[in-house]
């Protein structure tokens, strides 16, 4: 490492990231429990919303790949979400042979309930940082997410 890190070594940062991951997991679990949703249900909703926002709605197979679930497990997730009125399966407007997943207004409301309070709490916590610190934090988070994703993709998949 170059320069003075003020006593914040890799082990300290890893500990903070681990704690954030555990707290995030607890937050998602508590939210899911209060709405009768499994962790995989919430992950599916986020993936479907993100895909729709990017202009590429997911098929069931693409969702299975994204979540690293089997076809039958993905069907179970989608059946639960559809029964709750959060998701619908529709023919793709561009390719009628393809069935894609669409978020319903109830899921958008659910997403707002999940992320708005957390986003507001984060914004209050981050108000203490100036623009230069925020750029450093953003860069830190970008490279940390990238390293996490790369490591996930390097792990052998267990079937």
């Amino acid at each position: 490492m170059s320069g003075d890190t003020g006593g914040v070594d890799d082990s300290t940062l890893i500990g903070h990231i681990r704690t954030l991951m555990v707290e995030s997991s607890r937050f998602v679990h508590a939210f899911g429990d209060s709405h009768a949703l499994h962790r995989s249900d919430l992950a599916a909703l986020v993936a479907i919303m993100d895909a729709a926002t990017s202009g590429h709605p997911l098929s069931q197979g693409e969702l299975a790949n994204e979540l690293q679930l089997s076809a039958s497990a993905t069907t179970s997730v989608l059946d639960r979400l559809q029964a709750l009125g959060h998701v619908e399966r529709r023919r793709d407007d561009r390719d009628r042979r393809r069935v894609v997943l669409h978020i319903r207004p109830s899921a958008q409301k659910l997403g707002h309930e999940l992320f708005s309070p957390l986003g507001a709490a984060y914004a209050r916590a981050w108000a203490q940082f100036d623009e230069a610190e925020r750029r450093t934090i953003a860069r830190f988070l970008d490279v940390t997410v990238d390293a996490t994703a790369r490591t996930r993709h390097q792990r052998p998949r267990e079937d």
Side-chain angles (χ1 to χ4, degrees), residues 120-131 133-134:
Y122 284 162
R124 285 189 302 275
W126 298 334
Q128 64 186 302
F129 299 109
D130 65 27
E131 188 59 34
E133 290 172 315
R134 290 168 81 91

Side-chain angles (χ1 to χ4, degrees), residues 8-64:
V8 181
D9 60 6
D10 289 349
S11 180
T12 300
L13 293 174
I14 291 167
H16 286 303
I17 293 293
R18 183 178 55 244
T19 301
L20 176 60
M21 291 171 72
V22 169
E23 284 303 320
S24 295
S25 180
R26 289 176 179 156
F27 180 83
V28 168
H29 188 296
F31 183 84
D33 279 353
S34 69
H35 289 85
L37 294 167
H38 300 243
R39 173 180 300 281
S40 54
D41 299 341
L42 291 168
L45 286 172
V46 169
I48 296 166
M49 282 187 220
D50 287 350
T53 299
S54 74
H56 179 72
L58 293 175
S59 69
Q60 183 168 328
E62 290 166 331
L63 179 64

Side-chain angles (χ1 to χ4, degrees), residues 117-149:
L118 192 55
Y122 284 162
R124 285 189 302 275
W126 298 334
Q128 64 186 302
F129 299 109
D130 65 27
E131 188 59 34
E133 290 172 315
R134 290 168 81 91
R135 281 193 299 273
T136 299
I137 293 165
R139 188 167 53 91
F140 170 80
L141 291 171
D142 284 342
V143 300
T144 302
V145 168
D146 185 56
T148 303

Side-chain angles (χ1 to χ4, degrees), residues 44-82:
L45 286 172
V46 169
I48 296 166
M49 282 187 220
D50 287 350
T53 299
S54 74
H56 179 72
L58 293 175
S59 69
Q60 183 168 328
E62 290 166 331
L63 179 64
N65 188 52
E66 175 74 21
L67 299 178
Q68 296 186 348
L69 292 176
S70 68
S72 61
T74 304
T75 297
S76 294
V77 167
L78 290 172
D79 287 348
R80 279 193 305 273
L81 293 174
Q82 193 164 10

